[in-house]
């Protein structure tokens, strides 16, 4: 095990694996191309160091953190963050250019409708 930072032990790289298994078999039919590439790139980056079953699980966790904002126990978050350091750069850049959602409070929307204003005050997220 390797020590990092504040004395936290990380057992990230389990063993070297010789078999290169087919990552594509883990693509779900409902995943968009961008989402699949994010997960696939994570698996390909670590395929030779982490056993298949464990890596598929970690890739799903990475996907859940990046796309859905899920939180996991601290050790899991640290492990995935460490593994994800060099993965997903193109997705993150693309994500910056996407439209941001705009939220309007109910009171502002109702007030705008009553007063005849076309655009209530907006809060960006």
């Amino acid at each position: 095990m390797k020590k990092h930072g504040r004395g936290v032990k990380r057992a990230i790289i389990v063993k070297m694996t010789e078999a290169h298994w087919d990552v594509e078999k883990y693509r779900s039919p409902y995943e968009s191309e961008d989402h699949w590439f994010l997960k696939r790139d994570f698996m390909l980056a670590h395929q030779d160091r982490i056993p298949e079953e464990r890596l598929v699980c970690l890739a799903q966790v990475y996907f859940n953190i990046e796309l859905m904002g899920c939180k996991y126990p601290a050790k899991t978050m640290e492990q995935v963050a460490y593994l994800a350091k060099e993965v997903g750069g193109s997705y993150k850049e693309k994500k910056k250019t996407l439209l941001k959602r705009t939220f309007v409070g109910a009171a502002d929307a109702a007030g705008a409708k009553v007063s005849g204003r076309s655009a209530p005050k907006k809060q960006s997220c």
Side-chain angles (χ1 to χ4, degrees), residues 32-73:
S32 72
E33 196 169 272
D34 286 340
H35 294 175
W36 167 242
F37 288 157
L38 187 66
K39 215 158 73 169
R40 183 199 66 187
D41 290 349
F42 185 91
M43 287 190 278
L44 289 173
H46 305 291
Q47 184 180 40
D48 61 337
R49 297 182 306 225
I50 300 175
E52 180 176 356
E53 187 175 309
R54 176 75 177 147
L55 185 55
V56 171
C57 178
L58 288 169
Q60 186 63 49
V61 169
Y62 171 64
F63 177 87
N64 292 347
I65 292 168
E66 285 295 318
L67 282 111
M68 299 192 290
C70 294
K71 303 285 183 199
Y72 292 87

Side-chain angles (χ1 to χ4, degrees), residues 52-102:
E52 180 176 356
E53 187 175 309
R54 176 75 177 147
L55 185 55
V56 171
C57 178
L58 288 169
Q60 186 63 49
V61 169
Y62 171 64
F63 177 87
N64 292 347
I65 292 168
E66 285 295 318
L67 282 111
M68 299 192 290
C70 294
K71 303 285 183 199
Y72 292 87
K75 286 183 181 183
T76 303
M77 295 294 284
E78 288 174 10
Q79 184 178 27
V80 171
Y82 178 79
L83 292 169
K85 281 182 183 178
E86 297 178 17
V87 179
S90 61
Y91 175 78
K92 290 173 187 172
E93 284 301 315
K94 187 175 182 179
K95 191 171 143 181
K96 286 179 186 177
T97 63
L98 296 175
L99 292 174
K100 301 233 180 226
R101 290 184 180 161
T102 302

Side-chain angles (χ1 to χ4, degrees), residues 1-4 8-13:
M1 284 192 227
K2 193 173 182 182
K3 283 192 172 190
H4 288 269
V8 177
K9 292 181 182 180
R10 295 184 190 192
I12 293 174
I13 300 173

